[in-house]
Amino acid sequence: MKLIEIEQGEFVISTDKARLDIRIIHGFLKDESYWAKERTLEQTERAIENSICFGLYQGERQIGFARIVSDQATFAYLGDVFVIDEFRGRGLSKWLMQVIVDHPDLQGLRRWVLATKDAHGLYAQYGFSEFRYPERWMEKTAPNAY
């Protein structure tokens, strides 16, 4: 996987997993998200290990995150996207999304998917929409899945 690091003013987006602050990521997911409140630290660590991760930083401080699960040929799942509260409203989630969809290892995919309860407007700006053929999709979820 190609490592990237892109600066915009005082902010940086990096795919270097060594920079990730697991404490910040797991804390947000457990305490702030609606989708990962029951996720264990071990599950968070394993998810990061097996994903392409995008850390958003102000200097050395991690202020956002997203991850992609992909075969890097045909399919990608976008998950765990967040920007901490005090940095929202500055266009950082849009910038994060643009960096993700522009990543060189994620070009030419046949399908991207994600699940969201409240950010449809953000993701629509990057080509996401309701399933074109929902009758073709099935899922198997845990009883407590969002």
Side-chain angles (χ1 to χ4, degrees), residues 1-15:
M1 185 206 55
K2 180 173 176 42
L3 288 179
I4 60 167
E5 192 160 291
I6 300 172
E7 292 183 35
Q8 181 175 290
E10 64 185 304
F11 302 104
V12 174
I13 294 175
S14 175
T15 59

Side-chain angles (χ1 to χ4, degrees), residues 98-136:
Q98 193 64 59
V99 169
I100 292 168
V101 299
D102 288 346
H103 192 285
D105 292 342
L106 300 173
Q107 301 309 300
L109 302 178
R110 293 178 52 84
R111 177 165 286 122
W112 292 65
V113 297
L114 61 81
T116 186
K117 182 171 81 172
D118 56 3
H120 296 80
L122 170 65
Y123 299 120
Q125 296 174 55
Y126 299 92
F128 288 87
S129 63
E130 293 181 8
F131 284 131
R132 182 180 300 172
Y133 305 108
E135 68 279 3
R136 295 181 185 178

Side-chain angles (χ1 to χ4, degrees), residues 29-75:
L29 294 174
K30 188 173 181 333
D31 300 332
E32 306 287 329
S33 79
Y34 61 83
W35 65 89
K37 290 191 177 296
E38 296 182 29
R39 191 176 298 171
T40 67
L41 176 60
E42 293 77 22
Q43 288 171 322
T44 297
E45 290 171 337
R46 191 168 184 191
I48 287 169
E49 179 182 321
N50 292 296
S51 299
I52 301 170
C53 297
F54 296 80
L56 172 61
Y57 306 90
Q58 180 191 43
E60 295 303 312
R61 178 183 177 201
Q62 185 161 2
I63 61 168
F65 177 75
R67 67 185 182 90
I68 294 283
V69 180
S70 178
D71 60 12
Q72 299 180 37
T74 64
F75 181 84

